[in-house]
Amino acid sequence: MEIVQAFETSFGAKPEVVAQAPGRVNLIGEHIDYSQGFVLPFAIDAVTRSAIRKRDDGQIRIVSAQHPEAMIRSSISELREKGGTGWSRYILGVLWALEIENGLDIYVDGRVPLGAGLSSSAALECSVATAINHLFELGKSLTQLAQLTQRAENQYVGVPCGIMDQSVSLMAKGGYALLLDCRDLSTQHIPVDFAGAGLRLLIVDTRADHALIDGGYAERRASCESAAAKLGVVSMRDLDMQHLESQKDKLTAVEFQRARHAVSEIARVLNAVERLRTKQFVEFGELLNQSHISLRDDYKVSCPELDLVVDTANANGALGARMVGGGFGGSAIALIKDEDAGKISLAIEKAFAEAGYQAPRFFDSLPSDGAKLIS
Ligand code: GLA
């Protein structure tokens, strides 16, 4: 295996464990994981692999296939001082969250496109966590690993993300989307058969800046929390539209808009699950559009590039389209007919060129497996 050889070249011995974990797209349920809502992501076929071996001197050495020339050095004692910069802190954060007290050699190969809003960071965290869980026989469940990797990202890296990305990277199953209840972390695997209906999900990376670490994401999260506090509920999950409308005057205009997105999006996810089960893909596509409009107008996390993908896809025959992930850039998805794939990609490329944007990147992926050990 390529990664075993690369590990040996870097560290002079074979790894004791190799694991992989995928990136994700979210079909629907955006910006509601931290409001205890439902989300419906699936794992894509792009994965990050991690190969690991114990060391007995307390040192941590990390090499990545993407930067093979630079070996990052740290130590178990340094882990206690959180922070630092660069991609290696996602790995160090996982070691910190799992309370590892042993030196390690770690080689990672990240094939999830970076900065595309496809959760390359969750893929990295979850591949390391899966390998470490096995190597040290920690016996953590997938739910515990999701919580611990989220903790690594929240507290060590300093990104206030919810639990969706890590959960799907760990728990996904090929052919299914993962319906995750972010209140009790229960899951159901929902079959997704777009191909059987002559459809596919086009993923378009706008290559616009993905500003999760900036204040926008935290600000949205804070608005939902302050709205919940003012309405005397634990989270947006406890509201329905009627209740929210009747209490409108207790909220600022912004809090009301943010809450309206959250409450309507939670309902759309449950509706979308029924549409998938009954293969009502036209109605499913319409829900994608509604989600996008709500994210654009009420939650205000879209951007001109994402809107352009959505509008162009829809103008060229998509059943529906929307931005995915944190927003402010990253990727959008469009549910399209197989035969329209060429036409829609070309139309998006052309629209981007005319607007003076960087050329977008196109992917498509069937729902794929979650994290696993591969040796
Ligand atoms: C990012 C976060 C997730 C989730 C999405 C928005 O991907 O990591 O937890 O909040 O944004 O749905």
Side-chain angles (χ1 to χ4, degrees):
M1 203 187 309
E2 206 184 319
I3 191 167
V4 171
Q5 279 157 15
F7 184 98
E8 223 177 332
T9 308
S10 295
F11 299 118
K14 284 202 188 327
E16 292 174 85
V17 61
V18 183
Q20 68 178 36
R24 62 99 188 90
V25 287
N26 187 15
L27 285 174
I28 194 160
E30 214 65 86
H31 276 279
I32 48 169
D33 55 352
Y34 52 76
S35 288
Q36 300 189 329
F38 294 99
V39 294
L40 191 65
F42 70 71
I44 57 174
D45 55 12
V47 300
T48 291
R49 290 185 165 176
S50 298
I52 306 186
R53 182 180 181 88
K54 289 181 199 155
R55 295 173 60 83
D56 52 19
D57 62 358
Q59 298 301 302
I60 301 170
R61 302 189 299 178
I62 307 174
V63 176
S64 124
Q66 284 64 44
H67 307 278
E69 66 295 342
M71 182 179 292
I72 296 184
R73 290 166 195 275
S74 188
S75 67
I76 287 302
S77 55
E78 281 172 58
L79 280 183
R80 283 168 212 128
E81 298 147 35
K82 301 175 215 160
T85 53
W87 56 270
S88 61
R89 73 211 150 113
Y90 291 93
I91 300 173
L92 299 174
V94 171
L95 304 182
W96 167 82
L98 291 173
E99 300 178 344
I100 296 307
E101 306 235 314
N102 209 101
L104 295 168
D105 283 337
I106 303 177
Y107 187 97
V108 294
D109 185 359
R111 303 283 173 95
V112 181
L114 291 183
L118 301 175
S119 283
S120 55
S121 49
L124 176 56
E125 291 156 0
C126 294
S127 71
V128 172
T130 302
I132 292 284
N133 195 32
H134 178 76
L135 186 59
F136 291 98
E137 297 175 16
L138 302 180
K140 305 280 186 206
S141 67
L142 296 181
T143 300
Q144 287 172 320
L145 288 181
Q147 289 169 317
L148 289 162
T149 45
Q150 182 199 16
R151 183 154 177 255
E153 188 148 345
N154 290 167
Q155 295 182 24
Y156 198 93
V157 182
V159 175
C161 65
I163 200 161
M164 169 172 74
D165 305 342
Q166 293 80 5
S167 300
V168 64
S169 183
L170 289 159
M171 299 173 195
K173 197 161 121 182
Y176 295 81
L178 183 77
L179 174 63
L180 172 69
D181 178 338
C182 300
R183 182 150 69 181
D184 62 13
L185 301 185
S186 61
T187 58
Q188 280 180 59
H189 293 286
I190 309 294
V192 174
D193 185 19
F194 295 140
L199 302 173
R200 71 172 75 164
L201 197 76
L202 181 67
I203 305 169
V204 187
D205 173 16
T206 62
R207 302 174 80 189
D209 247 357
H210 186 259
L212 203 59
I213 247 167
D214 292 346
Y217 185 92
E219 190 265 331
R220 301 309 183 280
R221 204 176 160 148
S223 303
C224 288
E225 283 161 9
S226 63
K230 287 182 184 174
L231 300 180
V233 294
V234 173
S235 73
M236 296 293 114
R237 175 72 173 273
D238 303 310
L239 294 171
D240 59 31
M241 209 46 101
Q242 211 182 353
H243 184 179
L244 177 63
E245 297 275 0
S246 71
Q247 311 269 312
K248 190 173 177 180
D249 53 352
K250 293 190 180 157
L251 303 178
T252 65
V254 167
E255 284 165 346
F256 176 73
Q257 279 189 306
R258 306 295 192 248
R260 185 165 60 188
H261 164 71
V263 171
S264 64
E265 186 78 351
I266 290 173
R268 276 189 290 274
V269 175
L270 297 178
N271 194 348
V273 167
E274 282 320 301
R275 303 303 176 175
L276 279 182
R277 286 194 207 275
T278 51
K279 302 195 191 247
Q280 291 176 287
F281 295 120
V282 171
E283 292 78 2
F284 180 83
E286 185 45 41
L287 291 166
L288 299 184
N289 288 332
Q290 286 171 16
S291 170
H292 185 74
I293 292 167
S294 178
L295 288 158
R296 183 190 68 194
D297 297 347
D298 273 350
Y299 226 64
K300 296 204 165 36
V301 289
S302 189
C303 65
E305 293 89 342
L306 287 166
D307 294 342
L308 190 59
V309 174
V310 168
D311 294 344
T312 311
N314 280 331
N316 285 276
L319 282 74
R322 64 176 208 88
M323 55 153 281
V324 291
F328 311 107
S331 293
I333 53 172
L335 184 62
I336 63 174
K337 297 189 191 113
D338 272 334
E339 68 262 26
D340 288 343
K343 177 178 85 174
I344 292 182
S345 319
L346 271 180
I348 294 171
E349 261 171 10
K350 186 159 169 271
F352 267 55
E354 278 167 13
Y357 299 152
Q358 258 199 92
R361 288 189 291 183
F362 297 92
F363 309 98
D364 61 41
S365 170
L366 294 172
S368 304
D369 279 338
K372 53 178 128 178
L373 289 173
I374 49 176
S375 88

